[in-house]
Amino acid sequence: MSARWSRSAALVLAGAVALLASGCGIRGTSVPVDAGAAPSRASCRAPESERAAEGVSRVSVRIYLLCSSQVLSVSRTTRVGDEKTSREPVRIARALLEQLRLPPTAAEAAAGFTTAVADWVEISGPAKDDPDSALRLNRPPEEIRSLGLAQIVCTLADTTVAGDDGKVVLGGPDSQRDPLKAYQCTEEMRRNPMIAVNSGVLVS
């Protein structure tokens, strides 16, 4: 008698569960459901410039930072530099690189921006036999993290440092072993900065 009652109770319980599930519009399934990654909370909306450098010759510049796996431009206020012995393109490149190495401002971080340009990255002018538009990094471009290289290329491409064709010519520190390559900040690179490290074209 108790066994029969137990079977009846089990059937009633199973029916109740099925009824609840159908009432909620939920279909049972034995296959795990992949709902995808959680939506990003980063707005990626560039804030107003809030980082002002001390000194004279302050200018508004645009640099490229990372947000949601892309490189996007933000506005900063900085000084171009007062190195009287450096050529103008080199001074601009160094001032922009300095901004890229800095951590994001509070407003930029809140919007989801980060930087992948390491503190050790430095830049200098062309070597003896380089074209005037060339710049030399203290490591070959291929040894710089691709995300950071994309930031550098896109930031410099928006300035007079780039050639008339918008390309940025970069090389490593050794002019004998590190050939110059031309990099272009394309829409594809901005959407997928991981391609930057392999995007350089040898300069003949």
Side-chain angles (χ1 to χ4, degrees):
M1 184 73 175
S2 67
R4 185 181 303 172
W5 184 89
S6 298
R7 287 195 297 273
S8 299
L11 289 172
V12 170
L13 181 61
V17 171
L19 183 61
L20 287 173
S22 62
C24 295
I26 301 173
R27 291 186 177 181
T29 176
S30 59
V31 181
V33 176
D34 182 5
S40 172
R41 294 185 179 181
S43 70
C44 293
R45 292 179 182 174
E48 293 297 323
S49 176
E50 65 178 55
R51 173 168 279 139
E54 295 180 359
V56 296
S57 302
R58 292 184 190 176
V59 294
S60 178
V61 296
R62 299 199 70 79
I63 65 170
Y64 279 77
L65 298 178
L66 297 167
C67 192
S68 294
S69 303
Q70 303 178 75
V71 287
L72 302 170
S73 67
V74 300
S75 179
R76 292 253 183 101
T77 301
T78 186
R79 59 185 178 87
V80 175
D82 54 3
E83 305 166 69
K84 302 302 183 184
T85 58
S86 296
R87 295 168 55 250
E88 185 69 14
V90 179
R91 289 200 297 143
I92 293 172
R94 285 176 174 166
L96 293 171
L97 180 61
E98 180 183 1
Q99 290 295 315
L100 290 173
R101 290 188 307 224
L102 291 172
T105 65
E108 290 165 354
F113 288 96
T114 62
T115 184
V117 180
D119 290 342
W120 52 260
V121 180
E122 297 178 358
I123 202 163
S124 59
K128 182 179 179 181
D129 296 324
D130 288 348
D132 290 342
S133 60
L135 294 168
R136 292 276 177 180
L137 298 165
N138 58 333
R139 298 269 186 89
E142 296 79 10
E143 294 182 12
I144 295 177
R145 189 178 175 190
S146 189
L147 297 175
L149 183 60
Q151 287 182 251
I152 294 171
V153 169
C154 288
T155 297
L156 297 181
D158 266 359
T159 71
T160 56
V161 172
D164 294 337
D165 55 3
K167 294 179 180 178
V168 179
V169 178
L170 299 172
D174 190 333
S175 60
Q176 300 300 315
R177 296 191 305 174
D178 301 326
L180 294 171
K181 293 183 179 181
Y183 296 84
Q184 192 165 15
C185 181
T186 61
E187 181 64 29
E188 183 181 7
M189 183 185 290
R190 289 192 289 271
R191 290 198 311 265
N192 180 20
M194 290 300 296
I195 69 171
V197 71
N198 295 317
S199 67
V201 178
L202 284 172
V203 176
S204 56

